[in-house]
Amino acid sequence: MTRRPMMAANWKMNKTIREAQEYTAALLPRAADSEDVDVVVCVPFTCLHEVGRMAGDSTVIAGAQNFYHEDSGAYTGEVSAPMLLDVEAGAVIVGHSERREVFGETDDMVARKAKRAVEAGILPIVCVGETKEERDAGDMWEKVSGQVGQVLEELEDAGGESLVFAYEPIWAIGTGDTATPEDAQDAIGKIRDLLRETQGDDFAASVRILYGGSVKPENAAEIMAQEGIDGALVGGASLEVESFVELIGAAQNAVAQTEQ
Ligand code: PGA
């Protein structure tokens, strides 16, 4: 089974609507050149309607960076899955380490969000990853397998193509300190083995697993060349459209190389 590579931008808390319009207008024709890559742009809620409208039927998928698993009600400050569908979001980041660390999201909350997104037909990009202390203590896999396992328990009979995992070691996010391609591949390989053991071969073969953490044009080719790494979730280097286009190009080249 071949999985379509994905290049996903995470703008975090950046850009006004005007800036989002300029970026999206520049991105759309360039993304269309990379027809073998799924391009996702996860933007602040305030920009989502506009980016979703501009993306329309193009190959670019507009995504959110978070949502709440209930559909409506007394949840001040939150946005629901039906609201995301209303603005044509096709994807949503779930459980980003900044949500977990700054806003106190637990594995249980993350798992509920992943489940609700899948039910709603919005592709969740579920983030997992360890801190530096956990890695140094040899606890990387205990942490990551716990995070992945809780999501899988909630999912029941969802198909593997209905969600994406992003392995994002916390010490590599926004630090310029990328995991070595081998470390990234090792963690991602372990995640896929866990998917196979718990959900079966077809599920494991169809889930896309991205790497995230200081991905930039200089290291993208090497990361994308690793067997089993299906793409990247990119923060800082996605903010400039030219740099994000280069990353999409690296994913497209990786496809071309495996086809040779
Ligand atoms: P970074 O962020 O690319 O700036 O390290 C990645 C992320 O937080 O998703």
Side-chain angles (χ1 to χ4, degrees):
M1 184 176 305
T2 46
R3 297 178 294 271
R4 263 175 83 77
M6 173 176 286
M7 197 49 75
N10 174 12
W11 288 357
K12 308 193 179 182
M13 196 171 70
N14 291 290
K15 295 196 191 294
T16 61
I17 295 175
R18 168 69 65 84
E19 289 164 344
Q21 285 169 330
E22 286 169 8
Y23 183 112
T24 309
L27 174 65
L28 289 175
R30 310 283 294 281
D33 293 341
S34 297
E35 55 185 20
D36 298 317
V37 181
D38 280 349
V39 177
V40 183
V41 194
C42 298
V43 306
F45 290 130
T46 46
C47 300
L48 190 50
H49 186 209
E50 182 60 3
V51 174
R53 185 193 69 75
M54 288 180 76
D57 301 333
S58 77
T59 54
V60 173
I61 301 166
Q65 299 171 11
N66 180 36
F67 79 112
Y68 192 59
H69 68 270
E70 296 288 351
D71 281 359
S72 63
Y75 303 103
T76 301
E78 294 296 325
V79 166
S80 70
M83 293 171 182
L84 295 186
L85 291 172
D86 201 27
V87 292
E88 313 204 21
V92 61
I93 298 173
V94 168
H96 190 279
S97 61
E98 289 149 19
R99 299 291 324 164
R100 295 175 187 264
E101 299 220 314
V102 185
F103 301 99
E105 289 193 14
T106 61
D107 286 354
D108 182 48
M109 290 163 80
V110 172
R112 283 189 214 196
K113 290 180 189 206
K115 178 181 188 205
R116 182 67 195 103
V118 168
E119 280 169 3
I122 304 168
L123 188 70
I125 301 174
V126 182
C127 300
V128 297
E130 81 288 0
T131 63
K132 181 91 179 89
E133 293 70 35
E134 287 160 341
R135 171 162 283 263
D136 290 347
D139 294 338
M140 179 279 278
W141 183 236
E142 195 185 325
K143 172 78 174 288
V144 171
S145 60
Q147 292 175 324
V148 173
Q150 191 131 359
V151 170
L152 296 178
E153 272 172 34
E154 280 283 333
L155 279 181
E156 293 160 9
D157 51 5
E161 61 297 322
S162 61
L163 81 164
V164 171
F165 282 101
Y167 169 63
E168 298 206 306
I170 295 168
W171 46 272
I173 294 177
T175 56
D177 202 6
T178 328
T180 64
E182 293 73 27
D183 282 346
Q185 189 185 33
D186 173 62
I188 286 174
K190 286 194 165 92
I191 294 172
R192 204 174 302 283
D193 288 345
L194 178 64
L195 300 180
R196 194 174 295 114
E197 282 157 26
T198 59
Q199 318 293 118
D201 289 348
D202 287 351
F203 185 94
S206 55
V207 175
R208 283 173 292 182
I209 310 180
L210 314 181
Y211 167 76
S214 298
V215 175
K216 43 189 180 267
E218 300 78 52
N219 58 24
E222 201 185 2
I223 291 165
M224 290 304 301
Q226 301 295 314
E227 169 107 33
I229 301 186
D230 301 316
L233 178 59
V234 189
S238 76
L239 287 175
E240 293 291 336
V241 69
E242 283 306 318
S243 142
F244 188 50
V245 164
E246 276 189 58
L247 296 173
I248 298 166
Q252 177 69 33
N253 286 343
V255 177
Q257 267 156 21
T258 48
E259 280 172 357
Q260 266 169 20

